[in-house]
Amino acid sequence: MTAKVHTTLTGSVIDPRFGAHAMNANLFDRLELSIAELTKTAITTPDGQTVSYADLIALSGRLANVLTARGVQPGDRVAVQVEKSVPALVLYLATVRAGAVYLPLNTAYTLAELEYFISDAEPSLVVCDPAKREGIEKLAAKVGAAVEALDAKGQGTLMDAAADAPDAFETVPRAGDDLAAILYTSGTTGRSKGAMLTHDNLVSNALTLKEVWRFTADDVLIHALPIYHTHGLFVASNVTLFSGASMIFLAKFDADEILGLMSRATALMGVPTFYVRLLQHPALTKEATSGMRLFVSGSAPLLAETHREWSARTGHAILERYGMTETNMNTSNPYDGDRVPGAVGLPLPGVSARITNPDNGQELPIGEIGMIEVKGPNVFKGYWRMPEKTAAEFRSDGFFITGDLGKIDERGYVHILGRGKDLVITGGFNVYPKEIEDEIDAITGVFESAVIGVPHKDFGEGVTAVVVRSKEAEVDETAILAALDGRLAKFKLPKRVVFVDDLPRNTMGKVQKNVLRERFSDLYTASARAS
Ligand code: AMP
């Protein structure tokens, strides 16, 4: 059975002003139409910048004029690897406004990594940090791209050119399924792929989230996420802007700063690490969060324990949602109603989710574990220049195979049990890491854990628990194995428990299991040799 908990679109792509038949489906046009008050503050920064909606429109016009003058044509890619700043966000709007395709790149990528993205995407303009300009110019030259610089303060040759450009710019007409952005996936298995996102994908998701999370012009969002990723760029920024709300734009996460800002904010969107770190701060209290109405978490699993601790400390239930680069957001815990710890909630309005047998694509009954598949206006158009890969990831009825394993319970809540590639197959049995991690995390003295499969001569893969102890705890391998005994089927029990100080995480808070698998790859072969 397909879980279609909400099947009607609420103010989403079918709004006549914004719909597929609108004259211009350009995201920027739709955003401009939705702005009720031009003098309203859109963005503030801790260093005192205040940017109104009118300022945003004017700067986007100047930047769109610069892009056009640099030869950027509708449909061209504009690749951007810059630090977070207000002009960097406006560059996204300007690119889309010019009918071009915004292509943000993680600031951590090295020149060697950038070579792949630039040669694959063939942008006509690359905007980068001045410190990287020299190296990037060589890469850009190979594809005939122009280069402009923008630094962490939002200054550089791009803004110099914008200063002399006119505000007026006629937004380039686009169809709903024209591309607005390409976001490369993080590529932990194989080559990173460019997910092609359309104007309709982004607008429908922004309007849906605005509605389900009850965003209004009175909201003030603490924006501490990077803006090269779907979470900070689309979820946080688009929802705020489409609501006519304001955001406080922080360069990065800082627990002290965020706690200090809560008295003048209403919402925070973060990765689970934000919440774990805020919980370690003594200033996190009910009083400190009393003016806030919403804490959203996503991009990586939020431990049920973190959810509970947060409720106990602040009186707020974190609202966990689930999405990915390719699909924008798919599910969310409800605004009103049960926000279930450890679950990612119900399919969003207009989104359908189902669980299938990963081997043959057949739909599985409620409660059974399998592949999560989704379909809706949020789901991307395909991978850039990879038609075969795209075809392989979609079912014939249009459902996208997410690569996440999970289940849907009787109430329609989706539960994620890990990435398909993280599934451990031991002695022919499937072991879902999350199930084991939940058991281990409940053991006194354990802070958190990651369960991985490591090559094993007898079993193919050996279930291996990588554990971080709580501060000053002394729990050891024997104690953990003893605590698990009888709680899990024998084949699910870790063959080894190893301890680390921290789990390796990427900037979005995701545990990098590939790094752990690499690090412990000879755990069984080495110990076999030793014994
Ligand atoms: P990305 O494309 O970087 O946004 O990563 C998407 C992946 O992050 C998903 O396919 C999930 O594996 C994971 N993810 C996102 N949100 C959640 C969540 N709330 N709980 C667990 N995993 C999540």
Side-chain angles (χ1 to χ4, degrees), residues 322 354-355 370-374 400-402 404-406 414 416:
Y322 159 57
R354 68 184 182 195
I355 305 293
M371 178 62 68
I372 303 175
E373 298 187 2
V374 295
F400 173 64
I401 306 166
T402 62
D404 288 314
L405 296 171
V414 176
I416 298 181

Side-chain angles (χ1 to χ4, degrees), residues 194-225:
M196 300 191 287
L197 296 153
T198 67
H199 289 261
D200 272 356
N201 289 155
L202 302 182
V203 175
S204 68
N205 213 232
L207 295 176
T208 300
L209 294 175
K210 167 190 163 187
E211 196 140 325
V212 296
W213 294 343
R214 311 272 169 88
F215 264 76
T216 70
D218 294 333
D219 275 302
V220 179
L221 176 82
I222 301 176
H223 190 309
L225 291 159

Side-chain angles (χ1 to χ4, degrees), residues 185-186 229-231 297-302 320-326 329 343-344 402-404 416 418-419 506 508 510:
T185 58
S186 51
H229 184 269
T230 185
H231 196 164
S297 177
S299 293
L302 180 79
E320 188 173 9
R321 86 329 174 253
Y322 159 57
M324 59 197 301
T325 302
E326 289 93 328
M329 299 306 105
V344 294
T402 62
D404 288 314
I416 298 181
R419 294 292 294 164
N506 71 10
M508 296 312 293
K510 290 186 217 295

